[in-house]
Amino acid sequence: MKLAFSTLACPQWSTEQIVENARQMGYDALELRLLDGAVLDPVKDAEKVKQAVALSRANGLEVCTFDTSCSFNHSDPAERERHIADLRNWIQLAQQLQVPLLRVFGGAGNPDTYSQQEENAWVADALRQAAPQAEQAGVTIVLETHDGFASARRTAEVLQAVASPAVSALWDSHHPYRVGESVDEVVQALNGHIAHVHVKDARRLDTDPYGWQLVLLGEGEVPVREQLQALRQQGYQGYVSVEWEKKWHPEIPDPEVALPQHIALMKQWTA
């Protein structure tokens, strides 16, 4: 396994600080979600992204993933088309810069209005439209176990409907656990289609049965160690990326604390 972190962890760092800290901490790669504290756009931020990729590689780091904001669980066809167009721009940029993975979301969904089958069909149809371009570009689109698609079983249903080698799964350690799926259930559901992994730990809040608090690795209840061991047993050779959500949760510890702590423990657990 190769270790990375998402730039979501460090919204206050410059690109130079991100690269230097990643190198000094011993990470293998970066996952680009933010630069200069802002979510990236594949068109208007293309030059900034190119410079970040070049600087990373000049310092012995890869850029493993572009984290898009694309989601496809929209009842409005025009909205879905907008996100498909955005994904096509990301594929083009990833091909140009030889970045292998593009993260996408299914979306939050509206179960009171639409059936799960309808929503799955929207997501699968959107991914089928982008898949041939991704196949030609040598890029893998990874659908994250997140939001309405937190369940690995549901994510697997979409992947089966798409049936493209260029569309696979991103296993986010927290969300399938949050919806009650065990490590074995996730591995069995995704059945060799895990192309990327996000690691985060959290604990349930006693004051809110639906709330979670992000915590340092090993201080919560998410079975991250068991997940990493399962990946090793499956022969997983891809990236495991720390998704420390400092951008969205400014109250959690700073990246200077969290990122060294995560890599030290992940190296220990995967040794």
Side-chain angles (χ1 to χ4, degrees):
M1 291 182 217
K2 297 165 283 189
L3 303 180
F5 70 81
S6 166
T7 56
L8 199 62
C10 43
Q12 302 303 318
W13 288 357
S14 67
T15 302
E16 291 75 15
Q17 287 175 306
I18 293 168
V19 170
E20 179 60 18
N21 280 304
R23 187 186 65 80
Q24 288 189 0
M25 292 175 191
Y27 283 93
D28 301 303
L30 294 169
E31 179 169 346
L32 299 189
R33 175 63 162 147
L34 316 171
L35 288 171
D36 299 323
V39 172
L40 293 167
D41 179 274
V43 176
K44 71 180 183 66
D45 295 320
E47 189 57 38
K48 182 192 296 187
V49 171
K50 291 174 188 177
Q51 291 172 2
V53 171
L55 183 62
S56 299
R57 290 176 177 158
N59 283 271
L61 296 167
E62 267 307 318
V63 173
C64 62
T65 315
F66 290 152
D67 284 345
T68 84
S69 299
C70 302
S71 65
F72 307 107
N73 192 12
H74 305 286
S75 59
D76 181 1
E79 183 68 5
R80 293 200 300 275
E81 286 298 327
R82 186 180 71 80
H83 283 265
I84 293 167
D86 194 43
L87 179 55
R88 292 190 186 282
N89 287 329
W90 276 114
I91 294 170
Q92 185 176 4
L93 186 61
Q95 180 181 23
Q96 182 181 354
L97 298 178
Q98 297 184 304
V99 171
L101 300 171
L102 291 173
R103 187 281 307 280
V104 300
F105 296 118
N110 190 347
D112 295 331
T113 306
Y114 301 100
S115 71
Q116 189 170 109
Q117 290 71 26
E118 286 177 293
E119 294 178 342
N120 287 1
W122 297 333
V123 176
D125 178 67
L127 291 172
R128 272 195 301 268
Q129 290 186 52
Q133 183 185 352
E135 291 174 19
Q136 187 277 328
V139 173
T140 300
I141 301 165
V142 286
L143 176 62
E144 184 167 355
T145 56
H146 193 276
D147 290 329
F149 294 79
S151 164
R153 294 188 194 92
R154 186 175 187 184
T155 297
E157 289 174 7
V158 174
L159 297 183
Q160 186 175 11
V162 177
S164 167
V167 181
S168 199
L170 190 169
W171 180 8
D172 181 288
S173 64
H174 180 213
H175 295 294
Y177 175 78
R178 176 178 60 79
V179 298
E181 291 180 343
S182 70
V183 172
D184 286 345
E185 287 171 333
V186 172
V187 171
Q188 290 171 13
L190 297 178
N191 190 25
H193 294 289
I194 300 168
H196 194 43
V197 176
H198 279 172
V199 161
K200 63 167 72 78
D201 203 351
R203 68 167 70 97
R204 270 176 273 243
L205 294 171
D206 294 337
T207 55
D208 181 355
Y210 300 102
W212 291 79
Q213 178 183 358
L214 297 176
V215 295
L216 294 173
L217 192 58
E219 295 184 4
E221 61 182 87
V222 180
V224 176
R225 184 172 189 167
E226 184 183 348
Q227 292 166 349
L228 295 177
Q229 291 170 342
L231 287 166
R232 282 194 66 186
Q233 291 169 1
Q234 293 289 312
Y236 178 74
Q237 297 295 314
Y239 288 95
V240 175
S241 184
V242 176
E243 192 181 42
W244 186 246
E245 297 183 346
K246 183 70 173 178
K247 171 70 173 179
W248 313 134
H249 301 277
E251 75 281 359
I252 63 179
D254 289 336
E256 291 87 349
V257 173
L259 293 177
Q261 191 266 354
H262 276 70
I263 193 170
L265 208 48
M266 288 194 299
K267 284 185 173 181
Q268 177 185 325
W269 287 349
T270 59

